[in-house]
């Protein structure tokens, strides 16, 4: 056997060993669950050997290595899911909560119904021990864009101060403003649209 | 349809907190920590505690008794059980410029997910890989084990 043939056969042999080791050692399991809104999503699990869709609650597939085809979907019991994934699932954070506060036209005064939402925001911050709160100011398109940028900054600042006044730490709040650039309801310029005069508060 | 997609975009944009620009923009936080958890960020390994900020490229590793919960800027939430490792390869959430990406490697262990805005707006931009397969994610809640 000449030298190059020997090198080639070594390479082939070692890659076979690698593939065998890899597929023998590693295994992936994926299980689709019902989300907090009661919906069940859709996953496509694939590798070079094939692809499987899982679309039903508690449906699972296993993949025994990168070169073996994902197994046909199989339903997992709640018990099996909690024994295999309980520790991870227990640590899954609640998804961030979004609040939208509205303002009176051209002003930094909250509408009455939005004022009434402040206690909810404070309660959410407390319940989640949140240290990551975003306050983002917006306006409608009435008035020019420079004016609206300043107005959205003032709106964000009013909400920020309101939260700080209620005991939220200033360094836990990031506030920004988008002026009239990100309307909730798209309108022509110079349109008075109550839904766009808002500050969004995100509690993480 | 296009109009609806645009509306959703606008809605989401308005929800995005704008941080400073640059390479070290925070993409999320470590929300909760139990037991031994490490964060490897820019080649430095530190013990993870709640409210640490995450950046693209970070690895999070849990020990025998460790578990951890993460919140990303697009509202995706992720948790790791014991003896687990995730590498957040790339995370971009800038719907205004339609720049969206969430790529992560699930190295080993157990994981749970509820996907957020990126999976809603651009499901193809979510790429989760394990040593055995890639996961195409059209939402929303699921668990993964890599042994």
């Amino acid at each position: 056997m000449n030298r190059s043939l020997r090198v080639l056969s070594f390479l082939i042999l070692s890659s076979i060993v690698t593939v065998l080791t890899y597929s023998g050692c590693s295994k992936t399991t994926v299980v689709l669950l019902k989300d907090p809104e009661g919906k069940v999503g859709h996953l496509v699990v694939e590798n070079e050997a094939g692809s499987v869709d899982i679309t039903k609650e508690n449906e699972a597939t296993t993949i025994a290595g990168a070169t073996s085809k994902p197994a046909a979907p199989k339903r997992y019991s709640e018990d099996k899911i909690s024994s295999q994934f309980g520790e991870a699932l227990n640590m899954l954070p609640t998804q961030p909560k979004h609040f939208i506060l509205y303002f009176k036209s051209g002003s930094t005064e909250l509408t009455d119904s939005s004022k009434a939402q402040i206690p909810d925001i404070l309660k959410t911050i407390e319940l989640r021990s949140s240290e990551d709160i975003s306050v983002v100011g917006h306006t409608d398109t009435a008035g020019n864009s420079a004016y609206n940028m300043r107005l959205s900054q003032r709106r964000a600042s009013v909400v920020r101060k309101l939260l700080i006044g209620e005991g939220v730490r200033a360094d836990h709040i990031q506030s920004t403003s988008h002026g009239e650039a990100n309307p909730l309801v798209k309108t022509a310029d110079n349109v008075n649209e109550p839904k766009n005069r808002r500050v969004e508060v995100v509690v993480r | 349809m296009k109009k609806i997609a645009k509306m959703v975009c606008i809605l989401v944009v308005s929800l995005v907190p704008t941080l400073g620009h640059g390479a070290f923009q925070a993409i999320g936080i470590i929300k909760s920590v139990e037991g031994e958890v490490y964060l490897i960020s820019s080649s430095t390994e530190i013990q993870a505690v709640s409210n640490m900020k995450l950046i693209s490229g970070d690895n999070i590793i849990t020990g025998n008794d460790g578990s951890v919960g993460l919140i990303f800027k697009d509202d995706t939430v992720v948790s790791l059980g014991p003896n687990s490792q995730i590498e957040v390869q790339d995370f971009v959430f800038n719907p205004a410029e339609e720049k969206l990406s969430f790529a992560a490697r699930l190295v080993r262990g157990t994981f749970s997910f509820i996907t957020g805005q990126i999976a809603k707006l651009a499901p193809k931009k979510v790429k989760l890989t394990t040593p055995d397969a890639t996961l195409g994610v059209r939402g929303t809640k699921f668990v993964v084990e890599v042994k």
Side-chain angles (χ1 to χ4, degrees), chain A residues 22 25-36 39 41-47 53 63-66 81 84-85 87-89 91-96 98 128-132 134 136 138 174 176 178 182-186 198 200 202 204, chain B residues 6-7 10-11 13-19 29 31-34 51 53 67-73 75-82 110-117 130-147:
Chain A
Y22 205 61
C25 280
S26 120
K27 184 182 153 192
T28 296
T29 305
V30 182
V31 192
L32 185 62
L33 306 177
K34 187 155 78 178
D35 74 18
K39 288 183 194 141
H42 180 177
L43 299 169
V44 184
V45 182
E46 65 179 324
N47 62 16
D53 284 53
I63 311 95
I81 292 167
Q84 202 169 341
F85 298 100
E87 284 156 305
L89 282 167
M91 280 304 264
L92 192 61
T94 310
Q95 284 191 286
H98 296 253
R128 299 181 183 209
S129 312
S130 177
E131 297 186 13
D132 187 357
S134 304
V136 189
H138 302 271
Q174 312 143 17
T176 48
H178 291 183
N182 287 323
L184 204 55
V185 179
K186 189 115 177 124
R198 70 203 193 277
E200 314 214 19
V202 186
R204 294 187 190 84
Chain B
K6 205 167 178 189
M7 285 291 295
I10 289 159
L11 179 71
V13 169
S14 57
L15 305 179
V16 186
T18 313
L19 286 164
I29 55 165
K31 180 63 185 175
S32 45
V33 173
E34 255 180 44
N51 293 302
K53 291 195 163 48
S67 52
V68 64
L70 317 171
I71 301 182
F72 290 89
K73 285 293 177 193
D75 294 349
T76 295
V77 287
V78 181
S79 63
L80 280 68
T110 52
F111 309 85
S112 60
F113 286 83
I114 303 175
T115 54
Q117 307 290 345
T130 80
D132 310 300
T134 62
L135 267 64
V137 180
R138 314 222 166 106
T140 34
K141 185 171 182 180
F142 54 94
V143 287
V144 181
E145 181 185 56
V146 179
K147 274 213 272 222

Side-chain angles (χ1 to χ4, degrees), chain A residues 135 151-162 175 199:
Chain A
V135 171
L151 180 58
S152 70
Q153 282 163 354
R154 281 164 53 219
R155 283 177 177 162
S157 157
V158 161
V159 172
R160 181 190 163 86
K161 280 183 191 146
L162 210 154
S175 56
V199 162

Side-chain angles (χ1 to χ4, degrees), chain A residues 103-125:
Chain A
F103 290 80
K104 295 180 178 166
S105 181
S107 87
T108 57
E109 197 190 339
L110 285 167
T111 62
D112 291 342
S113 62
S114 289
K115 258 182 223 157
Q117 275 203 70
I118 302 292
D120 265 4
I121 299 178
L122 294 167
K123 203 169 155 193
T124 306
I125 294 171

